[in-house]
Amino acid sequence: MKTPTLPPSKLPEVGTTIFTTMSALASEHGALNVAQGFPDLSPPTNLKEAVKRAIDEGYNQYAPMAGDPGLRAWISEMYIQAHGAFYNADSEITIGAGASSLLFAAIQALVFPGDEVIIVDPAYDLYAPAVHLAGGVIARAALPQPPNLGGPGGAIDPEVIRNLMSDKTKLVIINAPHNPTGACFTSEGLNELADVLSESNCFLFSDEVYGPMNHDGRPFLSAAGHPGLKNRTLVFGSFGKLLHATGWKIGWVTAPEEITRELRKIHQYDVFSTGAPIQRGLAQYLITDDASKHLRELGPIYEKKRDRLLKGLEGTAFIFSPAEGGYFQILDYSKLDSRGDIEVAREWTIKHGIATIPISPFRKRGSQEAKAEKRLRICFAKGDSTIDEAIEKLRAIDMYYKSR
Ligand SMILES: Cc1ncc(COP(=O)(O)O)c(C=O)c1O
């Protein structure tokens, strides 16, 4: 009997994601896991009750392909309230299996072989493989340096993007609060980006899954709220991130009607629809005062956690710029160890009992930038005792190197 020969890999550069790898290493060695980006906080009790109720009320068959109508209505209202942006709930908002599934569907819908796609660098690791599968080519726009390293901060450098643009550029993907650095949008950055894109034929994806988690009084800015960007922009959000429920995998995308029509053609044959009772429970919970309070407090809660972590690291040799938003903090360990970040992250997991995420997998594989990385990402969406344990382990690492 003949067995089929495996075709060449469509994604030869891709292995298991660094998040899965580091989490597996953490459990193998019993290390503290501040690596993968999930909160160890529980979803709001009333939300859990609403989801259970939805199951009992019979919302157990396929949800509508575009998503639960009540949930889409809430998203529409949220953009009006938070950003003064109107999206038609029927024709411009789609709910999928996390923001991931919609990012993937939208890239397949819009990117054709030979199209160029500009992503920020470092970038969330989903974008590049999805673009490659569509036959697109990636160009990477370095993020501005954070203020403590002499840069302006912020999540986009419009001048760098301008210099990378060509006739073939089809799409620019930005992300704020940014994973892994926590950088946030500034209104100047969005204004300048609108100017850069104004004469182009280019779509913009704004990955805003960490949405309102902006720290130190920064406003919750969205590309949706920028009149010069909205018509070319798809904005991605994630209920998993907002409600401490990443395992539920419910996300959304807003986009002009004609783009929504195209991306739904992929979405309907990919996941079709997702988690009906969870969507219903979300729709019922999100209109309550409890939910408004939860969302209002999200940024301040994470800001406090960030401050707890950074205060605990005062006096160590780690170099850091406080995360502007989101729930990740980058630590530069270059004063302690000159080796690459993957080697160091592995060693610290096994030897020092703390699992973190190296930054180089967010960059082009084998690039100078990736090879030069000496930074690790810590997820601080954790209970205070986990943060304190992380501090203890990081201080012990600091002492270990200093005493050698
Ligand atoms: C920047 C960014 N975009 C998208 C996602 C995916 O979100 P979801 O879990 O809703 O698929 C993540 C998850 O970590 C992320 O960090």
Side-chain angles (χ1 to χ4, degrees):
M1 197 169 51
K2 218 173 156 189
T3 47
T5 358
L6 203 61
S9 172
K10 288 196 173 179
L11 294 171
E13 298 212 326
V14 171
T16 308
T17 74
I18 191 67
F19 313 112
T20 306
T21 306
M22 292 310 296
S23 281
L25 201 65
S27 59
E28 189 186 335
H29 295 275
L32 182 73
N33 188 353
V34 284
Q36 203 168 359
F38 59 84
D40 70 3
L41 314 170
S42 191
T45 305
N46 290 344
L47 170 60
K48 290 193 281 189
E49 291 306 323
V51 172
K52 288 182 217 165
R53 229 176 15 252
I55 292 174
D56 289 340
E57 284 169 1
Y59 288 90
N60 299 305
Q61 310 312 327
Y62 297 122
M65 180 270 279
D68 182 285
L71 192 52
R72 281 184 279 127
W74 181 84
I75 294 168
S76 176
E77 187 58 29
M78 185 275 283
Y79 279 99
I80 293 172
Q81 297 299 330
H83 306 295
F86 174 73
Y87 291 102
N88 184 305
D90 290 328
S91 55
E92 297 184 309
I93 296 173
T94 309
I95 291 165
S100 309
S101 77
L102 297 160
L103 279 158
F104 199 85
I107 287 171
Q108 302 316 311
L110 297 179
V111 176
F112 284 75
D115 285 346
E116 286 177 6
V117 177
I118 298 175
I119 64 176
V120 289
D121 189 43
Y124 183 55
D125 68 342
L126 175 149
Y127 312 144
V131 169
H132 287 148
L133 278 181
V137 179
I138 293 279
R140 288 175 181 259
L143 276 189
Q145 287 288 345
N148 71 332
L149 297 179
I156 28 179
D157 190 331
E159 258 334 285
V160 175
I161 293 176
R162 189 194 298 278
N163 292 335
L164 286 172
M165 298 234 340
S166 76
D167 293 349
K168 291 191 180 155
T169 309
K170 171 63 85 60
L171 172 64
V172 175
I173 305 180
I174 56 176
N175 165 221
H178 179 258
N179 179 7
T181 67
C184 285
F185 292 140
T186 59
S187 28
E188 303 79 60
L190 289 175
N191 285 342
E192 284 171 40
L193 182 66
D195 187 43
V196 169
L197 297 182
S198 63
E199 296 304 318
S200 78
N201 216 358
C202 211
F203 297 107
L204 178 69
F205 283 12
S206 191
D207 181 343
E208 301 177 8
V209 297
Y210 299 98
M213 303 173 201
N214 302 281
H215 308 323
D216 308 314
R218 287 181 180 83
F220 172 20
L221 295 175
S222 167
H226 196 292
L229 290 172
K230 183 171 178 281
N231 288 346
R232 65 172 77 242
T233 300
L234 292 79
V235 179
F236 297 83
S238 171
F239 290 111
K241 306 290 184 190
L242 299 186
L243 294 155
H244 314 318
T246 55
W248 291 2
K249 290 297 287 184
I250 311 279
W252 74 85
V253 58
T254 66
E257 184 169 348
E258 57 280 17
I259 301 176
T260 297
R261 204 178 304 124
E262 285 308 309
L263 77 86
R264 283 184 185 172
K265 288 182 188 173
I266 312 258
H267 164 74
Q268 72 180 343
Y269 292 125
D270 175 9
V271 295
F272 181 72
S273 73
T274 179
I278 305 181
Q279 291 196 48
R280 189 85 284 262
L282 281 165
Q284 285 173 338
Y285 170 73
L286 283 164
I287 54 174
T288 64
D289 291 344
D290 188 53
S292 312
K293 183 165 171 285
H294 171 92
L295 294 175
R296 245 192 341 268
E297 289 176 352
L298 202 57
I301 284 175
Y302 284 132
E303 183 178 319
K304 255 170 96 177
K305 290 185 179 297
R306 177 204 66 181
D307 290 347
R308 187 180 188 98
L309 174 68
L310 294 186
K311 187 155 183 359
L313 295 179
E314 272 172 13
T316 64
F318 293 110
I319 305 166
F320 48 79
S321 190
E324 295 176 356
Y327 53 53
F328 300 117
Q329 177 62 48
I330 295 270
L331 297 181
D332 178 327
Y333 61 79
S334 59
K335 284 192 177 161
L336 298 174
D337 198 316
S338 59
R339 290 174 301 160
D341 60 349
I342 295 181
E343 194 181 348
V344 167
R346 281 186 64 83
E347 186 176 292
W348 289 11
T349 307
I350 297 167
K351 195 162 152 183
H352 300 287
I354 181 164
T356 58
I357 294 287
I359 304 305
S360 54
F362 293 78
R363 295 189 178 276
K364 183 173 163 50
R365 199 186 175 129
S367 65
Q368 276 314 107
E369 290 81 2
K371 286 183 191 151
E373 266 302 350
K374 300 212 172 11
R375 296 182 300 168
L376 300 170
R377 188 194 82 176
I378 310 272
C379 175
F380 56 77
K382 306 291 175 191
D384 287 349
S385 60
T386 308
I387 295 179
D388 292 345
E389 207 183 324
I391 293 168
E392 210 176 288
K393 287 184 186 294
L394 290 164
R395 293 198 76 89
I397 289 173
D398 182 61
M399 287 301 293
Y400 165 81
Y401 279 95
K402 285 176 177 165
S403 64
R404 284 200 310 175

